[in-house]
Every structure is written in C-alpha cells, then in structure tokens.
Amino acid sequence: MIQLKAIHKSYQTDYNSLHVLKGIDIDIKEGDFVSIMGSSGSGKSTMLNILGILDKYDEGEYFLDGHLIKNLSQKQEAHYRNHLLGFVFQSFNLLAFKTAKENVALPLYYQKVDRKERQELALEYLDQVGLLDWADHYPNQMSGGQQQRVAIARSLISKPKVILADEPTGALDSKTSEDVMNIFKKVNKQGITVLIVTHEDEISRMTNRVIRLRDGIIESS
Amino acid sequence: MIDVDKWQEIFTSIRRHKLRTALTAFGVAWGIFMLVALLGMGQGLQNGIEHDFRDDAINSLWIRAGKTSMPYKGLKEGRNIQFDNSDYDLLRDQFPEIDEISGRFYVSGSQTVTYKDKNMSFSTRGVHPGHQTIENSVMLEGRYILDKDLDAFSKVAVIGKIVRDDLFGKEESLGKQINIGGTIYKVVGVFKDSGGDDEMRNIFIPVTTAQKVYSGGTQLHQLMVSGGNLGLREMQVLESKIHNTLARNKNFDPSDERAVRIFNLAEEFQQIMGLMGAIRGLTWLVGIFSILAGVIGISNIMLIIVKDRTKEIGIRKAIGATPGSIVNMIMQESIFITSVAGYIGLLLGIGLIYAASGVESEYFRNPQVNLGMVIIALLVLIITGTLAGLIPAIQAARINPVEAIKSD
Ligand SMILES: Nc1ncnc2c1ncn2[C@@H]1O[C@H](COP(=O)(O)OP(=O)(O)OP(=O)(O)O)[C@@H](O)[C@H]1O
Ligand SMILES: [Mg+2]
C-alpha cells in the first residue's frame, strides 16, 4: 500500500539547511496497523506529512496504492488526499464554525457528493464513533476525546485506504486515548491501513508493527 | 441550480467579519453611487445645453452689420455697414448650399398693439419665410409668412403664443384684425418657440410690408442662413465665403472682421459639445477612481480574511480541497459583497437622479440615468469584484497546509 524508497528531506532555513529524513525505506502492506515512534525532532511528523502528500520530499520515491507520488499537480494531490487518505491531527483541527455533522461531511463536499447523501453519511460515521447525539454540536461544546472522534469520522467518511494520525492521543488522557485507539482498531479491522505517530508505549503496543525513527533514519521496523 | 453550501460558506464568512465587510461594502456602494450620480448629472448638464440650443436651428449663421475697422479702396474706416435686399438676393442666388435664408427688419422700438379694448406692447419684426426654420418656430395654428405675402405686401401677422394669450385670451385669434402702431394686420398664424417666453412675445410680418409701412426702403437689419445637413467644416467654409461675398458687395476689406460679424451657431454648439465630452470623461474618471478605491478596500479586506482563515484553508486542503475550490470560495465571497454593495449604490444613485429629475434651470435640466449607464455600472461591478477577489484568492490557494495547520 505504501512504499518509501530512499526518501530524503531537508528543510531550508535562512542560513542553513536541516537534513531531516536521511534515506527512509519502508514497505507497508494493505491492512497494516503501524505505529511510528522516535524522539522529538527525529522526523516523524515530516515523514507523515510526506505520506499525506501535504509536503514534498527531495529525493527517493513514494508509491501510494501503486501511484508514484512525485511532481503531481496541486489538483492531483488534492484528489489523492481526498480519495486515498484520511488525516487525524493531535489538535483535532475541526472547523470551529461548523457543527460535528458539517465537519464530518466536509470531505464529501470536495468529492462533489450531493448534499443529502453527505448528511446521511455524516450521521452514519458519527454513529460509528458513538457521537450520533452530538451531530449538531459545535467543536467548542465537546470534550477533546469527542472532538478527536469527530475528526476520525471526518477522516473515514471519504472511504480512504490509509489513515494517517499524528499523535492523535497526544492531547487526551489515558482513558479517552484508549477509546480513540479502540476506534482505530475497529477501523483497521475493516481493512483500512492505519499509521499512528506516537510517543506512548501503551499506544504502540496496540498496533501490529512499530517503526522507530532516530535522527531521520529507521532504527527498527 | 442553487448551491446551498456555497451560499452557506459565504454567509458564514460574512457573519464572522460583519463590521469589516460592512465598511468595505460601503466603499463600493459609494463608488457606484458616485459614478451613477455623476453620469446622471452630466446628462442633466447636456440636456440643459441641448435645450438652450433648441431655440434656433443648430446649423445656422447669424449675420450682423457693424462698422469697418480698416480703410479700404480710399474709403475711411469707421463706416457703418447696412444690409439691404441686394445682400439677401446675392446670398440666396450665389450659395445653393444654403438651406433657408431670411432677412430681418426690426420695427423700431416696441409697438403698441391693439385688439378691441386691449393695448399692449410687443416687438414686431419683418421676416422672410425662411425665418421659420432658422428660428425653429412651430406653428400652433394657421400658417407662417409666405412668399406671396411678400410679393403682395400683405398686411398679415404671425403672432407668438403669448401675444395670442394676452390679446385674445380664450377667443379665436385667426382671421382677427389687430392694430400695430396704427396699421391694421390680419392674424394668419400662431407659433410657439422653445427658446422661451420672450421669443413668443414677437410678432412677425412680411419683410416687404415692414419696409414699406415703416419707411425702411430696402434696408435689412440682420441676415441669417441655415445650412441644412452641412457639416461643421462646410459651415465654416460657408461662413468665410459669405463674409467675402458681403465684403465685395459692401466694399470693405475681406479681412475686416468688424464690418460684418458672423456668429456660427454650429461652431458654438460643437465647442460646447466638446466641453461636454470633456466633462463626461472627467465624470467617468472620478467615478472609476471612486470604485477603484472601494475595490482596493474589498481586496484588502479579503486578504485579511484569507489571513484569518489560513488555518481553516490548510485544513480544507488536507482533507482534499483543490486549489480551484479555494479560489472559488474566496472569489465568490468577494463578488457577492461587491455585487450587493454595488447594487445598493446603484439604486441610491438612480434614486438621487430620479429625485432630481424635475429640476430645470438654464444649464441643467432633467438629469437622467439611461440603461447603457446602468449596464456599464453593473459590468464595472462584476469586473471589479472579480479583480478584488483575485489576489486574495490566489494567496489563499498558495497556502501550504502543513504550515497553516501548525499556525494559530
Ligand atoms: N517547516 C520547517 N522548517 C524548518 N525546519 C523544520 C520544519 N518542520 C520541521 N522542522 C524541523 O525538522 C525536524 C523534524 O521535525 P518533525 O516535526 O518531523 O519532528 P517530530 O519527530 O515530529 O518531532 P515531535 O515528536 O516533536 O513532533 C525538527 O528539528 C524540526 O525543527
Ligand atoms: Mg511531530
């Protein structure tokens, strides 16, 4: 499902360049449940952003579901993000002025799904994460765990093949973290590949495979 | 099809930036208001001036005799020039391009005009039939002075509408006898003239009759000709040819501009119309700049809004929004604000012009907004709205989702 071949990535700052990823090779099969660990600054988020086609890499090759992700137009990038990928962030990143239901439905808007169908599907996915009763609430009326579940529903609604989550439980207590992880587990059972960046061993223990990054190199996988 | 979501996005965004949106919308409304108001007023100015010219045929030359200012062939300067019937005949025969020609004989002073027990004073002029066209007189009843009146020295009179109203009141005037300074004339026609009330206080009689009755010999006080469809250039040529012909006939230096003065109404009209054109150009300039200021305001606001929404736009991109959809989102909002604000400005402008539409004064009359102006104003709106949204929209589409999501 995901293949990284000798990926390099540097950040250009004003005076110097920071080599963050120094030759990453990974092969992730469809339906895998993977956690990515490593100390702060080791390049986990950078790698996840590249996988999510939110950022570009300098060298190497990245294949997503058989497509080479390189030199794509912005429109193609948007298309792959919309159809193959679901993103979950540590800080939830829901739109504050939209209700839970509207937030969940948003990816389908960009797929030009009709309004009624979008609403129905949004409710269905909110139900999956146990928040059907919260459909008409705004993010600031919900707890962190609830917001993250809305965000997960939003990432799932476009029926992606891969879910990418950057420290999804980083802002949650251990009880809610477990709820969120259980949802990911359920999602994975449906055959969706899940990648989670985390610092916590309890989280990585729930996944099938742990990739450790250290200074931009894969230490173990 | 109405896209509910798009409208929802637009209204949500406007609601989140109420004051800023209102302020900039005001700018655009003001710009369009100014444009429409200025154009309407400009039209009023033009109407007023065109109205002033309605008095006389626009393509006409008004020829007055003066005093020589140069010695010529042994004749001293300071000699009075006087027109007579020979000048009239000469011009009529020599210039086929002349459409209508008339002399004028002013019966000196204003004469006491009597009908039954009413005595009033009006001015009386002896004229040729061509005088009607040149003066733009319109017959209300009866007829004008005819050639046969001139041949027969008939004692007939064509009177202005005011003369009729004052002398006859509601009574029928045609065929009635009036006494002008001791001579009896039969009223054969009543005219109106858009030159104003004074023009309608005149009485016209055949020029030959006037010369005979008031012992004028063959003298004429003034000559006037109209050029029909001649262009400005041809009118100017005609003007100088007439001047030269009269110089020969009256023995004065052809370069002596004071011996005979010719007032070219066509030239005058052209000059004023040229001035009008300049005023109109200025109007557009001011209007366009007002709108431009409003548009820059909107553009600015949209830039700030885009900045405000950076994180949101980043999130939208992360979940699959194409750059095109982001551009659309910003542009539509900009065009929407511009259109609504502009429409309000347009209505206010039209309202103002409408309210002022009754105004009539010497140089200003009936300000108007025509369909053309409205269409142009609307086009300007749509184009400017698009331009206003363009830069912010491109900015929005360029937002890097990773950075945007990290920002707060
Ligand atoms: N846009 C950027 N410009 C310059 N340097 C950057 C940028 N983004 C990240 N970096 C640097 O790249 C390195 C790797 O960053 P990254 O965010 O991938 O680390 P991480 O493993 O996710 O760390 P953390 O666990 O703290 O989230 C860091 O040293 C960071 O400072
Ligand atoms: Mg990180």
Side-chain angles (χ1 to χ4, degrees):
Chain A
M1 178 58 45
I2 288 174
Q3 283 164 292
L4 292 183
K5 292 182 179 167
I7 294 288
H8 284 263
K9 168 81 181 173
S10 301
Y11 284 114
Q12 247 57 48
T13 50
D14 284 348
Y15 299 105
N16 47 26
S17 127
L18 184 66
H19 201 175
V20 180
L21 299 182
K22 303 166 181 166
I24 303 280
D25 293 282
I26 302 181
D27 199 338
I28 294 169
K29 296 275 169 292
E30 182 161 10
D32 232 350
F33 192 12
V34 182
S35 55
I36 300 166
M37 298 193 73
S39 56
S40 186
S42 56
K44 306 181 295 293
S45 295
T46 305
M47 187 173 105
L48 206 70
N49 288 337
I50 289 172
L51 291 176
I53 326 180
L54 293 175
D55 210 345
K56 295 197 165 31
Y57 52 96
D58 303 330
E59 277 174 50
E61 281 177 336
Y62 165 27
F63 289 93
L64 173 62
D65 197 25
H67 309 282
L68 175 61
I69 306 299
K70 200 171 201 172
N71 299 330
L72 298 179
S73 71
Q74 286 210 43
K75 203 175 160 185
Q76 283 171 305
E77 288 180 357
H79 180 84
Y80 286 135
R81 281 203 288 269
N82 197 217
H83 287 85
L84 294 178
L85 299 169
F87 237 102
V88 178
F89 305 89
Q90 176 175 0
S91 52
F92 325 133
N93 285 329
L94 300 174
L95 299 189
F97 55 92
K98 288 187 182 292
T99 62
K101 182 174 70 183
E102 288 167 342
N103 265 291
V104 172
L106 199 55
L108 295 183
Y109 173 67
Y110 293 114
Q111 286 187 6
K112 306 205 158 46
V113 173
D114 111 352
R115 186 177 166 79
K116 194 152 168 271
E117 195 183 337
R118 266 189 343 239
Q119 308 243 352
E120 280 166 12
L121 279 169
L123 291 178
E124 194 179 299
Y125 278 85
L126 275 174
D127 197 16
Q128 270 198 33
V129 297
L131 288 175
L132 190 55
D133 295 340
W134 293 78
D136 295 320
H137 286 70
Y138 287 91
N140 62 5
Q141 299 166 328
M142 292 191 260
S143 73
Q146 287 171 325
Q147 288 187 53
Q148 195 60 301
R149 276 143 69 192
V150 173
I152 294 171
R154 181 180 65 185
S155 73
L156 291 171
I157 197 165
S158 54
K159 300 194 175 68
K161 296 201 159 171
V162 179
I163 295 283
L164 302 168
D166 196 349
E167 303 191 40
T169 59
L172 307 176
D173 61 43
S174 54
K175 170 75 187 71
T176 29
S177 294
E178 208 180 309
D179 294 345
V180 166
M181 281 311 288
N182 284 330
I183 293 171
F184 279 125
K185 231 174 180 168
K186 211 168 76 186
V187 167
N188 179 245
K189 287 251 163 60
Q190 296 165 7
I192 298 175
T193 313
V194 179
L195 268 79
I196 297 176
V197 168
T198 183
H199 283 291
E200 301 158 68
D201 289 329
E202 303 92 86
I203 302 295
S204 67
R205 236 179 274 130
M206 294 175 80
T207 64
N208 305 334
R209 179 181 171 193
V210 181
I211 295 173
R212 281 178 205 283
L213 271 186
R214 184 182 180 142
D215 276 343
I217 292 177
I218 294 190
E219 195 179 41
S220 70
S221 68
Chain B
M1 194 193 80
I2 302 164
D3 188 334
V4 184
D5 302 279
K6 263 179 201 152
W7 288 105
Q8 222 166 31
E9 297 284 351
I10 290 172
F11 287 126
T12 313
S13 173
I14 289 174
R15 227 175 298 130
R16 284 159 69 205
H17 305 96
K18 267 190 212 112
L19 182 65
R20 280 193 297 208
T21 307
L23 283 175
T24 35
F26 176 77
V28 169
W30 178 251
I32 290 285
F33 171 79
M34 286 288 283
L35 180 69
V36 172
L38 285 173
L39 285 176
M41 295 299 171
Q43 187 67 46
L45 205 57
Q46 179 158 350
N47 289 347
I49 286 174
E50 272 172 7
H51 188 265
D52 279 352
F53 274 87
R54 272 205 344 228
D55 178 11
D56 307 314
I58 285 164
N59 240 356
S60 55
L61 302 176
W62 298 66
I63 309 162
R64 267 172 231 274
K67 222 180 234 195
T68 58
S69 63
M70 312 174 176
Y72 185 65
K73 286 185 179 164
L75 295 164
K76 283 220 182 73
E77 59 181 277
R79 192 161 46 93
N80 278 319
I81 301 290
Q82 222 169 48
F83 293 142
D84 55 47
N85 290 347
S86 74
D87 299 302
Y88 172 87
D89 294 338
L90 188 66
L91 296 187
R92 186 196 55 199
D93 297 342
Q94 197 165 329
F95 297 104
E97 62 264 47
I98 288 178
D99 184 45
E100 294 288 353
I101 177 166
S102 176
R104 228 187 224 176
F105 182 91
Y106 293 98
V107 176
S108 58
S110 65
Q111 301 285 315
T112 304
V113 180
T114 317
Y115 174 70
K116 287 187 178 163
D117 55 344
K118 287 201 185 118
N119 291 306
M120 292 180 191
S121 92
F122 297 105
S123 61
T124 304
R125 299 165 176 185
V127 299
H128 290 90
H131 191 265
Q132 184 186 0
T133 306
I134 298 170
E135 261 293 356
N136 243 350
S137 303
V138 176
M139 297 315 292
L140 289 175
E141 44 185 333
R143 62 169 178 85
Y144 205 71
I145 304 293
L146 302 175
D147 279 322
K148 66 168 200 211
D149 300 325
L150 268 63
D151 295 342
F153 299 89
S154 313
K155 299 212 173 70
V156 294
V158 175
I159 61 176
K161 180 175 173 296
I162 304 234
V163 177
R164 179 192 67 183
D165 294 346
D166 287 358
L167 279 182
F168 295 93
K170 296 226 171 317
E171 211 182 307
E172 172 65 53
S173 61
L174 286 189
K176 298 285 162 61
Q177 312 248 305
I178 54 173
N179 182 326
I180 305 177
T183 312
I184 305 293
Y185 292 84
K186 188 171 89 176
V187 175
V188 293
V190 179
F191 68 91
K192 71 170 179 156
D193 190 302
S194 19
D197 288 356
D198 280 347
E199 294 287 338
M200 293 189 276
R201 285 208 170 83
N202 286 325
I203 297 173
F204 296 129
I205 58 177
V207 65
T208 51
T209 313
Q211 284 169 336
K212 194 169 142 201
V213 172
Y214 305 97
S215 7
T218 61
Q219 193 194 344
L220 292 173
H221 295 111
Q222 200 180 350
L223 290 165
M224 48 266 244
V225 304
S226 74
N229 293 325
L230 294 185
L232 177 63
R233 191 78 217 106
E234 294 157 315
M235 284 303 280
Q236 283 166 336
V237 171
L238 181 62
E239 177 188 338
S240 77
K241 281 205 272 186
I242 286 178
H243 194 267
N244 289 341
T245 302
L246 290 174
R248 229 177 305 116
N249 204 37
K250 288 274 167 276
N251 266 316
F252 63 85
D253 193 315
S255 61
D256 190 342
E257 297 288 339
R258 295 209 198 152
V260 165
R261 293 166 195 274
I262 302 183
F263 182 72
N264 191 336
L265 203 60
E267 206 169 63
E268 191 84 348
F269 186 72
Q270 203 73 17
Q271 273 168 9
I272 291 183
M273 282 301 122
L275 188 69
M276 286 308 305
I279 291 176
R280 209 170 10 222
L282 201 68
T283 305
W284 275 101
L285 209 67
V286 172
I288 295 285
F289 272 103
S290 315
I291 293 175
L292 213 61
V295 167
I296 291 172
I298 290 227
S299 199
N300 231 351
I301 264 303
M302 293 306 295
L303 272 178
I304 296 173
I305 289 176
V306 165
K307 201 149 203 167
D308 260 21
R309 294 173 69 177
T310 299
K311 183 163 186 169
E312 174 203 335
I313 291 168
I315 295 170
R316 286 176 187 271
K317 284 188 146 185
I319 62 175
T322 56
S325 70
I326 302 286
V327 167
N328 273 346
M329 180 172 78
I330 303 297
M331 295 282 270
Q332 275 159 356
E333 186 175 332
S334 158
I335 293 175
F336 177 74
I337 298 174
T338 321
S339 312
V340 170
Y343 189 67
I344 292 171
L346 185 66
L347 287 185
L348 289 178
I350 291 175
L352 177 81
I353 297 300
Y354 190 77
S357 66
V359 174
E360 280 180 21
S361 69
E362 192 172 2
Y363 291 111
F364 190 81
R365 193 180 177 88
N366 263 337
Q368 286 173 324
V369 203
N370 57 40
L371 191 66
M373 285 181 208
V374 173
I375 290 173
I376 289 172
L378 287 176
L379 273 179
V380 167
L381 263 180
I382 294 168
I383 293 169
T384 52
T386 312
L387 287 180
L390 205 58
I391 296 170
I394 291 171
Q395 192 101 328
R398 284 217 190 104
I399 285 173
N400 174 334
V402 178
E403 315 257 306
I405 290 170
K406 262 194 258 172
S407 69
D408 272 301

